[in-house]
Amino acid sequence: MNFYKGVLILLFLCVQALLAQISVRNQLEFTHWQSRDLDILENWTDVTYQRDWLQIGGRFEINEPPDPTIFPQDTLLKRHELTFAYARIRHRFLDVTVGNYYAMFGRGLTLRTYEDRNLRVDNNLLGAKVALHFKKLKFQALSGRMRDKYNRRKEWLSGADVELKASRSFKIGTSYLYQHNPQYFKDQKGMWSARTNFTHDLFDLYTEVVKPQWSPAFSYYVAVSTYGDKWNALLELKDYNRLSFQNAYLMEYNAAPSLTREHAFSLLNRHPHFLNQNDERGYQLEVNYNPSMEMQFVFNHSQTFTHDRRRIFQEYYLEMTHYWKENFEYHALVDWNFDFSTNTENITAIFDAIYNLTRRDQLHISIQHQHTKNKLDLSEYDNELALIEYSRSPWVSFALVGEYTNKYQIRNVQMDRHQWLYGQVSFNFWKNQRLSVLYGTRREGFICVGGICRYEPEFEGLEIKLTNRF
């Protein structure tokens, strides 16, 4: 905490002495959980000071009280805390950060730290980072301790990454990460990686190989992309074998690409794939085809296996988008996936349409259907979701979302509710301010990004979100 006080004092002195740009972003979420008789207030305030080559910032968080679905050991989390503070100098080829920061080596197989508030993930490092950027050479070295969700920090981590642009079309890089005195996994001390990137005309090839010191196995990731006049394609391959690099709080320093498609529709996230960096092999293929300015097709296929060739996830996805005239567009898609974690086969069909009534008025309708079959007991059930939304740009939007399932009819399944309905209204005002109010019931589900998922339990009550930017 003394470090944070020092950074704040430095920020104050700089503001007094210099004329510069100060930006403030505040995000507030209030939840009245009617079914649990619980009120929760969450707030993030980010302040950034910028003057030429100097940048100073901080983040203050409020969890009043901590959400029990996210922080089951709520006594470990301080309800009011300065969780992020840094000073950064960027001048010509030099970039130095002291305090909290995020970093990534390559595609994240060795190191990836990031913040995603929808997932409630913030695994920043507290320490120092130095980066050098030249025309043909990039270098960064860092040292710090990673945050877990309770804002605790344990072992020190040090690492370096170098990337050389050997020619206009070819890059090579290497990185090394070392954990000082590991307390939980005694043998997890370090890993190194090597990568190449070759680009020529309409072709791109990226490869990365990782070798942990605690295992004789190598892990790798390969991405091949190519382009044409009306199409583009991406093929990715993965082999992750004992790749997970963790500290005493079981926080992973790395986050390799999951090679599964990220979905925006609710029903498609009901049976996601959870990334396991210790035992996965597989691939993902995605092809985009644009036969005309008005039509677009997307095809995606992915498979994931364990090293003993046991299938754990498989998906086929096909979407058509049609822009009809200037005021109407629709998306029609079908998806099939097999989810080993729930032993289910899921077939989903979605029709999503947007109609521009005027230049400012828009109507959005979404109809989603999913049929699920359990491969163990052969039981089957259906989920139905419908959404209707009206918006008046850029000021206000109204949405009504309903969902129904017949899963409650299955023998030995106990469900308190099989219908959900909520309304949501959103206001945009003063250019950079947004207020959203939701009331009703919402079904349980997952929020997923890159194979990292957060489970949201069933909700009944009131939810208010307010975002301010100054």
Side-chain angles (χ1 to χ4, degrees):
M1 184 58 72
N2 291 332
F3 169 80
Y4 289 129
K5 290 180 179 178
V7 172
L8 288 178
I9 293 173
L10 180 59
L11 172 60
F12 176 78
L13 293 176
C14 290
V15 171
Q16 295 297 319
L18 300 172
L19 295 176
Q21 179 180 355
I22 298 178
S23 60
V24 180
R25 182 180 187 273
N26 193 83
Q27 181 179 339
L28 179 147
E29 295 189 11
F30 172 78
T31 304
H32 171 63
W33 210 320
Q34 184 174 322
S35 57
R36 300 192 181 195
D37 191 24
L38 179 65
D39 292 336
I40 298 173
L41 174 65
E42 299 172 289
N43 194 88
W44 299 264
T45 302
D46 293 271
V47 181
T48 303
Y49 166 86
Q50 181 76 52
R51 169 73 181 197
D52 297 330
W53 44 265
L54 176 65
Q55 183 182 82
I56 301 176
R59 178 184 306 134
F60 189 81
E61 293 186 23
I62 297 175
N63 292 277
E64 191 63 54
D67 189 334
T69 65
I70 302 173
F71 307 103
Q73 297 177 279
D74 57 355
T75 57
L76 297 178
L77 183 71
K78 294 182 180 179
R79 300 192 173 194
H80 312 85
E81 188 172 8
L82 183 66
T83 60
F84 196 92
Y86 70 95
R88 183 178 184 183
I89 296 175
R90 286 186 291 181
H91 182 64
R92 300 179 65 183
F93 58 84
L94 180 65
D95 187 344
V96 179
T97 302
V98 178
N100 299 96
Y101 60 90
Y102 302 99
M104 183 172 176
F105 291 168
R107 296 286 175 94
L109 278 77
T110 306
L111 174 68
R112 182 190 175 211
T113 64
Y114 65 101
E115 183 200 16
D116 191 309
R117 291 181 190 172
N118 289 326
L119 295 176
R120 294 300 192 274
V121 172
D122 184 358
N123 58 355
N124 67 77
L125 292 168
L126 173 60
K129 179 177 69 169
V130 177
L132 303 174
H133 300 275
F134 300 103
K135 186 175 181 180
K136 292 191 175 184
L137 180 68
K138 295 181 180 179
F139 170 81
Q140 60 176 320
L142 55 85
S143 185
R145 294 185 297 162
M146 176 176 280
R147 165 188 170 162
D148 79 338
K149 66 180 181 180
Y150 296 103
N151 204 29
R152 300 175 300 177
R153 302 179 190 272
K154 207 69 173 177
E155 293 90 347
W156 277 90
L157 184 75
S158 298
D161 181 83
V162 182
E163 183 174 278
L164 173 66
K165 187 175 182 180
S167 67
R168 293 182 57 185
S169 58
F170 187 64
K171 298 177 183 178
I172 57 174
T174 184
S175 59
Y176 180 72
L177 204 62
Y178 179 79
Q179 182 176 212
H180 302 264
N181 301 318
Q183 300 179 25
Y184 193 80
F185 298 102
K186 299 295 185 180
D187 61 339
Q188 290 201 355
K189 291 187 176 181
M191 63 164 51
W192 64 266
S193 71
R195 64 184 184 270
T196 63
N197 189 191
F198 175 74
T199 304
H200 181 69
D201 294 336
L202 303 178
F203 175 82
D204 184 272
L205 172 64
Y206 179 92
T207 62
E208 186 166 354
V209 179
V210 182
K211 174 62 173 63
Q213 289 184 350
W214 57 87
S215 171
F218 285 81
S219 295
Y220 68 81
Y221 166 80
V222 179
V224 183
S225 58
T226 183
Y227 311 87
D229 291 338
K230 297 183 177 181
W231 60 274
N232 63 77
L234 171 65
L235 174 63
E236 298 173 287
L237 308 173
K238 65 180 176 181
D239 189 331
Y240 306 149
N241 193 342
R242 296 195 64 191
L243 181 63
S244 179
F245 194 7
Q246 299 179 332
N247 67 6
Y249 292 129
L250 305 184
M251 294 296 297
E252 292 187 308
Y253 297 126
N254 51 349
S258 65
L259 274 64
T260 56
R261 182 176 175 83
E262 294 185 7
H263 297 295
F265 296 102
S266 299
L267 291 189
L268 291 177
N269 282 318
R270 291 291 156 78
H271 300 275
H273 169 62
F274 298 87
L275 177 65
N276 177 11
Q277 298 189 111
N278 283 326
D279 188 13
E280 282 196 3
R281 301 177 66 184
Y283 62 87
Q284 176 178 223
L285 171 66
E286 180 159 312
V287 179
N288 289 266
Y289 176 57
N290 299 79
S292 66
M293 295 291 293
E294 296 80 21
M295 296 286 292
Q296 180 184 16
F297 293 90
V298 178
F299 170 76
N300 181 281
H301 169 54
S302 65
Q303 284 200 88
T304 298
F305 301 87
T306 62
H307 285 87
D308 60 5
R309 302 199 59 80
R310 177 168 47 89
R311 180 179 62 166
I312 57 178
F313 189 81
Q314 184 175 2
E315 182 173 33
Y316 291 89
Y317 175 92
L318 180 62
E319 177 182 359
M320 180 189 72
T321 301
H322 185 196
Y323 301 94
W324 189 43
K325 298 182 178 180
E326 294 183 356
N327 58 350
F328 183 71
E329 69 173 87
Y330 66 88
H331 307 262
L333 63 92
V334 61
D335 179 273
W336 175 93
N337 76 40
F338 176 84
D339 174 25
F340 174 80
S341 62
T342 58
N343 288 296
T344 57
E345 181 182 57
N346 308 280
I347 301 175
T348 307
I350 296 176
F351 179 80
D352 191 84
I354 296 176
Y355 180 63
N356 296 311
L357 303 169
T358 67
R359 293 182 61 183
R360 293 189 178 274
D361 299 279
Q362 186 180 89
L363 184 65
H364 176 204
I365 297 175
S366 184
I367 300 173
Q368 306 177 30
H369 168 81
Q370 185 175 78
H371 180 76
T372 299
K373 181 177 181 179
N374 191 302
K375 305 297 286 186
L376 293 180
D377 60 17
L378 302 182
S379 61
E380 301 181 50
Y381 63 92
D382 298 284
N383 297 317
E384 315 284 350
L385 186 146
L387 174 149
I388 182 169
E389 180 182 24
Y390 165 77
S391 59
R392 171 77 173 175
S393 178
W395 300 293
V396 64
S397 66
F398 304 89
L400 189 65
V401 181
E403 186 172 352
Y404 166 82
T405 183
N406 59 12
K407 186 178 180 179
Y408 72 98
Q409 298 176 352
I410 300 176
R411 183 180 301 177
N412 299 325
V413 171
Q414 301 293 327
M415 297 185 68
D416 296 331
R417 184 190 302 273
H418 61 274
Q419 295 178 339
W420 300 265
L421 180 66
Y422 69 84
Q424 184 172 6
V425 57
S426 300
F427 302 95
N428 295 311
F429 53 97
W430 298 338
K431 292 185 179 181
N432 294 318
Q433 324 304 318
R434 179 177 176 83
L435 172 66
S436 175
V437 180
L438 179 151
Y439 180 76
T441 58
R442 183 176 58 209
R443 191 178 183 183
E444 75 279 2
F446 291 97
I447 300 175
C448 298
V449 178
I452 310 299
C453 298
R454 178 173 73 87
Y455 174 75
E456 277 199 322
E458 184 180 62
F459 174 78
E460 178 182 4
L462 174 69
E463 188 177 80
I464 300 175
K465 298 182 180 181
L466 176 63
T467 302
N468 309 99
R469 294 183 178 88
F470 305 99

